[in-house]
Amino acid sequence: MASRRVSSLLSRSLMSSSSSLFSLRGKGHLVNRGVAQGYSNLASALEETITPPVKVQHNQLLINGKFVDSASGKTFPTLDPRTGEVIAQVAEGDVEDVNRAVVAARKAFDEGPWPRMTAYERSKILFRFADLIEKHNDEIAALETWDNGKPYEQSAKIEVPMLARVFRYYAGWADKIHGMTVPGDGSHHVQTLHEPIGVAGQIIPWNFPLIMLSWKLGPALACGNTVVLKTAEQTPLSALLVGRLLHEAGLPEGVVNIVSGFGPTAGAAIASHMDIDKVAFTGSTDVGKVILELASKSNLKAVTLELGGKSPFIVCEDADVDQAVELAHFALFFNQGQCCCAGSRTFVHERVYDEFVEKAKARAINRAVGDPFKSGIEQGPQVDSEQFEKILKYIRHGVDSGATLQAGGDRLGSKGYYIQPTVFSDVKDDMLIAKDEIFGPVQTILKFKDLDEVIARANNSRYGLAAGVFTQNLDTANRLMRALRVGSVWINCFDVFDATIPFGGYKMSGIGREKGIYSLSNYLQVKAVVTAIKNPAWL
Amino acid sequence: MAARRVSSLLSRSLSASSPFLSRSQGRNLSNGSRIVRRFGTSSAAEEVISPSVQVSYTKLLIDGNFVDAASGKTFPTLDPRTGEVIAHVAEGDAEDINRAVKAARKAFDEGPWPKMTAYERSRIMLRFADLVEKHSEELAALESWDNGKTYEQALTAEIPMLARLFRYYAGWADKIHGLTVPADGNYHVQTLHEPIGVAGQIIPWNFPLLMFAWKVGPALACGNTIVLKTAEQTPLTAFYVGKLFLEAGLPPGVLNIVSGFGATAGASLASHMDVDKLAFTGSTDTGKVILGLAANSNLKPVTLELGGKSPFIVFEDADIDKAVELAHFALFFNQGQCCCAGSRTYVHEKVYDEFVEKAKARALKRVVGDPFKKGIEQGPQIDLKQFEKVMKYIRSGVQSNATLECGGGQVGDKGYFIQPTVFSNVKDDMLIAQDEIFGPVQSILKFSDVDEVIRRANETRYGLAAGVFTKSLDTANRVSRALKAGTVWVNCFDVFDAAIPFGGYKMSGNGREKGIYSLNNYLQVKAVVTPLNNPAWI
């Protein structure tokens, strides 16, 4: 019940009747929140940096059940996005550390105990882990916010509960991995075994460190694999804490190994390792191509990719405009705009365009930006200076290319990586801000006339991750749902991320699906076993 | 019934009642057949029989028409029995691939293919299967001529299997179900299983039509359109069945067939920005290139079915005579040109000497000759390059001190016939025990216990298939799980029913073909989520 209630916060986050954080905040902050006064006069709120209520306990690599220094002894700083100051020095994993982690994972797989335990035993460990997450909810949430910059309320009320919920989902799968018996064309008994692949290499991004960890670790462990996980260099901390909790829950040593470090060194070593049987990567399309190429040049390990997007959010003329404005705002600005499935091309029908732009601008100006540890804050800082600079560059580009800047357009305050919620109208398809993944709080609003046109334009992208559709018309909904070449279509909703719903991309947004029943096949090999049978009673 | 009966020829090919086995036994008993000779005699290979078929189609099939290559270039396809030219065939290159992709793109994006009902698509595939049966003798003759495989194998096993596979996939077309999905809140969630789009498919020369079926069948059933590149060694039969598909009512542009070479036509297909999916069957080295091209272009998902060095494990409690016969079949079938060939024959030390003696005797009796002759078990290798590669490995086996029990040389002096060759005392570190030879060369290794043979069998970069011979249920169950291979045949081998998934662990490939699993290769999953107002249940 608890998990259903809490995860529905995310599912229902923008329905008008829900008790969600977002709808409360979206409407409530106008009236009564001290912190939320419109972003332009928030600089003072940013000056008072709140001390996070958590200590950094783990800053070493987790290999074979133990926290250890990197082989080189090197460390790197992880920074507070609110200030750019150092939170902690973290062990910097490189090729040799990946090798050590693979040896541990290989041993835990090849000699056991992990794939030789019963599925029920594996599921119990995952259930215990979920309980420990709930027990340490606030501590984990504080660490996630400190390292990433996302609002603490989002971490504590949505993401960490979702972490527990996703692991309970996969714990439930562990003892439900069925093979098949198969009809033969002759006197043979045919069966398929769905076996764990072996050692999975997993490389996760910084935008949702723990949720990405759960999408990766959950199915891998449920299916009996062992793992070498590389965290993003921007956000190494929370994974190390939950790694300890996994072991407290009874996970045998070597089953999950966590290496902090950088892509070109530790990441590349995983993707090209000859003893890793599978690699799953979430990140940019450009890096995804490198990962796949490294896999092709090494041992042809199977690759799952969850990459970039430029997802259309289509508001038809019959849509509830107020609800569409609120959800389009959420679809883009959620998590500081740092979502691969951000609704970053807002297509609005010409009959409601002007009204929509006006309301979208008003909503953005009212967005509460500030120290993510403050109550009522909707938007914290971007994750680091590189992202911050990239977004500001795209904003300048939008202005230069003749789009109309309706709101925002600059940094907020003088320290850290805060950016004003920014809205462009009169955006054209060939502008860079309508083609590239900006990964920041920049909404681009485009105009369309009819369905054929918006289908063609929405699909005219190398990406195909997700789409939002706003309409009251069943025919329109059914038609768009099939025509859009994307992995998720949210109709009159957005960012619904239940554990059961598969997520992944068409085209250059990726290969494979995570979550749901579909995610299991990423971590299973299919073995056909055929035995000659004598005198069968049936065929 | 016909399909079941005929395809069982392949499934059961080596059970006691099968034509393959009865041929080899019949020889022992009757020995009166004129064509039955030991491989050392080459006269059978001298008299070249004229195939009873005309080459009618030598041009690229693009958008429903047979057309010349844009460059006007052609290349010769050769008769492996003689090395002589059968026909000159249009040589497709990047520009032809572009034309084919354009046609396939149109047939997909504008229809009619994915906009037809699944039932209509299935009817076309069923009509095609009927036409395959109607033309089975011509197809078999053309396949045998271009490839060198025995006509009887083509006619009684492969062409019937072609029809059987298309009936299998025709049956899937209207059974592609998405799911409705339990949500955590007030949402209606469903998944749509959609066609991916334009599929690029690159097939090899060892089973041209069966590989065509494994690729084209699921792609069409799922509503995709296709650009298929055939192997340059065997371009002929695909054109023929392409024509039959048009006759069956397949709309233009749905299936486009380009003959040509890997480095040109194959590479442009793999790196094409408007191809949404790629499936390749061939060598591991080429598979790596294909995946690299996909990675560097548009990240199209790739299915790979690659090389193998599959163990065939004979335990001490096995029926030795049957194991010898099946180990022989597992290696020598199709001139040893099978990706899943049982090319490491592991035999328990207690039965090793007996096994080697009998395996040698069986190989000596293998009937090699013109594949169009009745009763022939083995024809020529596909081409000079493969022939020389196989001969090089035979020399390597001798030089590394494996014991050459029989064979080792060419049969006759023309074409690419090779003596059935058996090596004993093979060690794991010899090249012939590590590399894929893809020819009629059996390597027999000795083992002492189960732990050891599991470890040695798994010590390879490949993981395609395995054979296990034992009467013990415990041994069969244990070894089935321990072997890292996509297919385990227990007391049988090369059972290829349409419903059985096939594919590799490790560097033998990614993905599975055939069976329910093959559908995933040609489907995208789309999650659709809608809020619910006042739902009766969640």
Side-chain angles (χ1 to χ4, degrees):
Chain A
M1 278 311 289
S3 75
R4 155 155 290 192
R5 182 186 53 75
V6 185
S7 60
S8 346
L9 284 178
L10 190 55
S11 301
R12 296 174 180 170
S13 56
L14 278 138
M15 292 182 60
S16 54
S17 64
S18 95
S19 58
S20 121
L21 208 53
F22 293 99
S23 57
L24 282 179
R25 202 182 304 138
K27 294 171 180 168
H29 76 270
L30 290 173
V31 213
N32 58 9
R33 297 292 163 89
V35 284
Q37 304 297 331
Y39 59 75
S40 51
N41 56 8
L42 267 177
S44 64
L46 301 180
E47 302 298 325
E48 317 146 15
T49 303
I50 297 174
T51 305
V54 63
K55 295 264 182 272
V56 176
Q57 299 176 57
H58 306 293
N59 59 358
Q60 293 169 294
L61 315 177
L62 178 53
I63 295 178
N64 207 25
K66 293 177 188 66
F67 283 103
V68 295
D69 288 327
S70 64
S72 66
K74 283 209 281 188
T75 63
F76 66 98
T78 185
L79 308 179
D80 184 338
R82 300 175 301 167
T83 58
E85 286 163 13
V86 176
I87 301 174
Q89 292 288 336
V90 176
E92 181 180 338
D94 200 338
V95 178
E96 196 173 331
D97 305 290
V98 167
N99 287 343
R100 286 193 294 166
V102 172
V103 167
R106 202 69 266 167
K107 183 158 180 282
F109 186 81
D110 293 338
E111 299 171 21
W114 193 242
R116 298 184 186 198
M117 287 168 70
T118 66
Y120 178 49
E121 287 174 292
R122 288 201 300 271
S123 78
K124 284 200 294 188
I125 290 169
L126 297 179
F127 280 127
R128 277 199 296 270
F129 173 56
D131 293 343
L132 289 173
I133 291 166
E134 286 184 346
K135 187 175 153 193
H136 294 269
N137 184 83
D138 294 354
E139 190 187 342
I140 298 170
L143 208 53
E144 190 80 331
T145 286
W146 196 4
D147 217 6
N148 170 282
K150 63 179 69 208
Y152 175 74
E153 286 177 343
Q154 177 184 323
S155 298
K157 294 186 184 169
I158 299 172
E159 297 190 18
V160 179
M162 180 66 97
L163 176 70
R165 194 272 175 268
V166 171
F167 273 99
R168 290 202 179 101
Y169 176 75
Y170 283 111
W173 267 121
D175 56 4
K176 294 163 199 78
I177 311 285
H178 293 76
M180 300 178 135
T181 57
V182 179
D185 283 343
S187 291
H188 293 104
H189 173 63
V190 183
Q191 59 191 304
T192 58
L193 305 180
H194 293 186
E195 300 190 336
I197 291 187
V199 175
Q202 306 184 318
I203 302 174
I204 60 174
W206 48 260
N207 58 343
F208 293 95
L210 286 173
I211 289 187
M212 293 300 101
L213 174 141
S214 72
W215 289 17
K216 296 280 185 293
L217 285 185
L221 295 179
C223 295
N225 301 273
T226 61
V227 176
V228 176
L229 177 90
K230 189 195 95 62
T231 48
E233 67 269 22
Q234 294 86 346
T235 53
L237 297 177
S238 57
L240 296 172
L241 173 55
V242 301
R244 191 198 82 208
L245 298 181
L246 258 174
H247 288 84
E248 268 181 51
L251 191 80
E253 61 188 32
V255 175
V256 171
N257 304 276
I258 301 175
V259 177
S260 334
F262 293 82
T265 51
I270 287 174
S272 55
H273 206 290
M274 294 299 287
D275 288 330
I276 289 181
D277 303 303
K278 160 80 194 175
V279 69
F281 169 77
T282 296
S284 74
T285 294
D286 287 346
V287 176
K289 293 173 81 166
V290 173
I291 297 277
L292 188 57
E293 188 170 17
L294 292 174
S296 77
K297 287 187 167 155
S298 54
N299 64 347
L300 283 171
K301 55 179 79 61
V303 178
T304 310
L305 297 174
E306 203 271 90
L307 307 175
K310 192 74 185 176
S311 297
F313 186 105
I314 301 172
V315 182
C316 299
E317 57 180 313
D318 63 347
D320 175 333
V321 173
D322 288 336
Q323 201 200 23
V325 164
E326 185 58 36
L327 267 162
H329 176 85
F330 171 61
L332 188 282
F333 291 97
F334 178 60
N335 207 47
Q336 293 71 246
Q338 301 167 149
C339 299
C340 47
C341 59
S344 52
R345 289 185 292 155
T346 310
F347 286 101
V348 181
H349 191 274
E350 56 181 4
R351 294 219 183 116
V352 292
Y353 187 82
D354 293 341
E355 177 190 358
F356 186 97
V357 169
E358 216 35 62
K359 289 180 171 173
K361 171 186 176 176
R363 178 64 185 91
I365 288 174
N366 288 329
R367 186 166 183 79
V369 187
D371 187 320
F373 281 101
K374 278 205 177 128
S375 181
I377 284 293
E378 295 177 281
Q379 180 177 323
Q382 309 307 121
V383 74
D384 64 10
S385 67
E386 190 190 328
Q387 290 294 319
F388 175 80
E389 298 293 348
K390 191 183 99 178
I391 295 161
L392 290 176
K393 191 193 75 187
Y394 275 113
I395 291 174
R396 285 192 298 273
H397 212 284
V399 172
D400 293 347
S401 60
T404 307
L405 181 66
Q406 295 282 352
D410 207 348
R411 75 179 301 171
L412 195 58
S414 56
K415 80 180 166 189
Y417 311 123
Y418 295 89
I419 293 182
Q420 296 172 348
T422 298
V423 176
F424 281 107
S425 64
D426 302 316
V427 178
K428 307 294 175 211
D429 292 2
D430 60 354
M431 294 178 182
L432 219 53
I433 57 169
K435 296 205 287 202
D436 286 8
E437 185 173 40
I438 300 175
F439 230 64
V442 182
Q443 185 175 32
T444 59
I445 311 182
L446 304 95
K447 191 186 287 188
F448 76 93
K449 286 184 171 52
D450 66 59
L451 279 189
D452 285 337
E453 172 208 337
V454 79
I455 288 170
R457 292 169 63 192
N459 283 336
N460 189 16
S461 165
R462 66 173 184 159
Y463 295 117
L465 196 53
V469 171
F470 267 72
T471 179
Q472 295 297 324
N473 182 304
L474 185 60
D475 286 338
T476 305
N478 280 339
R479 178 160 180 225
L480 286 172
M481 162 204 326
R482 286 191 183 232
L484 294 171
R485 299 185 55 70
V486 299
S488 296
V489 179
W490 287 297
I491 301 176
N492 298 332
C493 60
F494 206 89
D495 278 352
V496 180
F497 273 113
D498 298 354
T500 53
I501 305 176
F503 185 79
Y506 281 46
K507 299 192 274 183
M508 292 177 76
S509 286
I511 297 174
R513 293 294 178 273
E514 297 188 291
K515 295 194 291 127
I517 188 171
Y518 303 92
S519 62
L520 303 173
S521 58
N522 299 329
Y523 295 97
L524 293 170
Q525 276 283 18
V526 175
K527 180 187 280 179
V529 181
V530 185
T531 315
I533 42 175
K534 290 177 178 160
N535 192 20
W538 54 271
L539 280 177
Chain B
M1 277 309 290
R4 155 154 289 190
R5 181 186 52 74
V6 187
S7 62
S8 338
L9 284 178
L10 189 56
S11 302
R12 296 176 179 166
S13 56
L14 279 137
S15 61
S17 61
S18 93
F20 285 112
L21 188 61
S22 60
R23 198 181 306 137
S24 64
Q25 288 178 336
R27 191 169 54 251
N28 294 337
L29 300 175
S30 72
N31 67 40
S33 170
R34 276 169 290 123
I35 42 87
V36 175
R37 294 183 169 83
R38 290 170 50 130
F39 60 73
T41 60
S42 57
S43 57
E46 304 289 330
E47 316 146 16
V48 178
I49 297 173
S50 289
S52 55
V53 63
Q54 299 291 316
V55 178
S56 307
Y57 308 104
T58 57
K59 295 183 185 183
L60 314 179
L61 177 54
I62 295 179
D63 208 13
N65 299 306
F66 284 99
V67 297
D68 288 323
S71 66
K73 282 209 280 187
T74 63
F75 67 97
T77 183
L78 307 179
D79 183 340
R81 300 175 302 168
T82 60
E84 286 163 14
V85 176
I86 300 174
H88 289 275
V89 176
E91 183 179 336
D93 201 340
E95 196 174 332
D96 305 291
I97 294 289
N98 287 343
R99 286 195 293 166
V101 171
K102 208 172 160 192
R105 198 74 264 163
K106 183 158 178 280
F108 185 82
D109 292 339
E110 299 172 22
W113 193 241
K115 300 190 181 192
M116 287 168 70
T117 66
Y119 178 52
E120 288 174 295
R121 290 201 300 270
S122 78
R123 293 282 304 274
I124 291 170
M125 295 173 76
L126 291 171
R127 279 200 294 272
F128 171 71
D130 293 343
L131 289 171
V132 166
E133 284 183 347
K134 187 175 154 197
H135 294 274
S136 66
E137 290 181 5
E138 288 152 276
L139 279 170
L142 208 52
E143 189 81 329
S144 188
W145 196 5
D146 216 9
N147 170 280
K149 63 177 67 207
T150 66
Y151 175 72
E152 285 179 342
Q153 176 185 320
L155 181 71
T156 63
E158 297 188 19
I159 305 301
M161 181 67 99
L162 175 68
R164 194 271 175 271
L165 281 161
F166 274 97
R167 293 204 176 98
Y168 176 77
Y169 282 111
W172 268 121
D174 56 4
K175 293 162 200 78
I176 310 285
H177 293 76
L179 300 168
T180 55
V181 179
D184 283 346
N186 282 357
Y187 289 97
H188 173 62
V189 183
Q190 59 190 305
T191 58
L192 305 181
H193 293 185
E194 300 192 336
I196 291 188
V198 174
Q201 306 185 319
I202 301 175
I203 60 173
W205 48 261
N206 58 343
F207 294 95
L209 285 174
L210 290 183
M211 293 302 98
F212 174 96
W214 290 20
K215 297 279 183 295
V216 172
L220 292 185
C222 295
N224 300 272
T225 61
I226 296 171
V227 177
L228 178 92
K229 190 198 91 65
T230 48
E232 66 270 22
Q233 295 86 350
T234 54
L236 297 178
T237 49
F239 288 141
Y240 194 110
V241 297
K243 179 72 171 73
L244 296 184
F245 249 126
L246 296 176
E247 261 183 66
L250 194 75
V254 176
L255 172 62
N256 304 277
I257 302 175
V258 177
S259 42
F261 294 82
T264 52
S268 62
L269 193 54
S271 54
H272 206 290
M273 293 299 287
D274 287 329
V275 170
D276 303 304
K277 160 75 193 178
L278 199 88
F280 169 78
T281 296
S283 74
T284 294
D285 286 347
T286 306
K288 294 173 79 166
V289 173
I290 295 277
L291 190 57
L293 292 174
N296 279 318
S297 55
N298 66 345
L299 283 171
K300 53 181 79 61
V302 177
T303 310
L304 297 174
E305 202 271 89
L306 308 175
K309 192 73 186 177
S310 298
F312 186 106
I313 305 173
V314 181
F315 288 95
E316 57 177 309
D317 63 348
D319 174 334
I320 296 296
D321 288 336
K322 197 170 125 182
V324 165
E325 186 57 38
L326 267 163
H328 176 83
F329 171 62
L331 188 284
F332 291 98
F333 178 60
N334 207 47
Q335 294 70 248
Q337 301 168 149
C338 300
C339 49
C340 59
S343 52
R344 290 184 292 152
T345 312
Y346 285 101
V347 181
H348 191 272
E349 57 184 4
K350 289 207 184 128
V351 292
Y352 187 81
D353 293 340
E354 179 190 355
F355 186 96
V356 170
E357 214 39 60
K358 289 180 170 172
K360 171 186 175 177
R362 179 63 187 89
L364 282 169
K365 286 178 182 146
R366 186 164 186 81
V367 193
V368 185
D370 188 320
F372 281 99
K373 278 204 178 131
K374 215 171 152 60
I376 288 290
E377 294 178 279
Q378 181 177 320
Q381 308 308 118
I382 183 79
D383 65 9
L384 181 64
K385 188 174 153 198
Q386 288 293 319
F387 174 84
E388 287 184 341
K389 191 182 104 178
V390 175
M391 298 305 289
K392 190 195 75 185
Y393 276 114
I394 291 174
R395 287 193 297 276
S396 161
V398 171
Q399 281 158 14
S400 59
N401 288 323
T403 307
L404 180 66
E405 294 283 349
C406 66
Q410 181 176 8
V411 177
D413 54 9
K414 92 182 154 185
Y416 313 123
F417 296 88
I418 293 179
Q419 295 173 345
T421 299
V422 176
F423 282 107
S424 64
N425 299 314
V426 178
K427 307 294 176 208
D428 292 359
D429 60 357
M430 294 177 184
L431 220 51
I432 57 168
Q434 292 183 337
D435 286 7
E436 185 173 41
I437 299 175
F438 230 63
V441 182
Q442 185 174 33
S443 300
I444 311 181
L445 304 95
K446 190 187 284 187
F447 76 90
S448 308
D449 66 61
V450 184
D451 285 333
E452 173 207 336
V453 80
I454 288 171
R455 182 180 50 73
R456 291 170 63 194
N458 283 336
E459 253 174 22
T460 167
R461 65 174 184 158
Y462 294 117
L464 196 52
V468 174
F469 267 72
T470 179
K471 289 183 178 137
S472 157
L473 185 60
D474 283 341
T475 304
N477 280 340
R478 181 172 172 208
V479 176
S480 293
R481 286 195 180 229
L483 292 173
K484 293 186 181 300
T487 303
V488 178
W489 286 296
V490 180
N491 296 332
C492 59
F493 206 88
D494 277 351
V495 180
F496 273 113
D497 300 354
I500 306 176
F502 185 81
Y505 282 47
K506 299 193 275 185
M507 291 176 78
S508 287
N510 287 322
R512 293 294 179 271
E513 298 189 291
K514 295 195 291 129
I516 189 171
Y517 303 93
S518 63
L519 303 174
N520 300 335
N521 299 329
Y522 296 97
L523 294 169
Q524 276 283 19
V525 175
K526 180 186 279 179
V528 181
V529 186
T530 323
L532 291 170
N533 290 320
N534 191 22
W537 54 270
I538 295 182

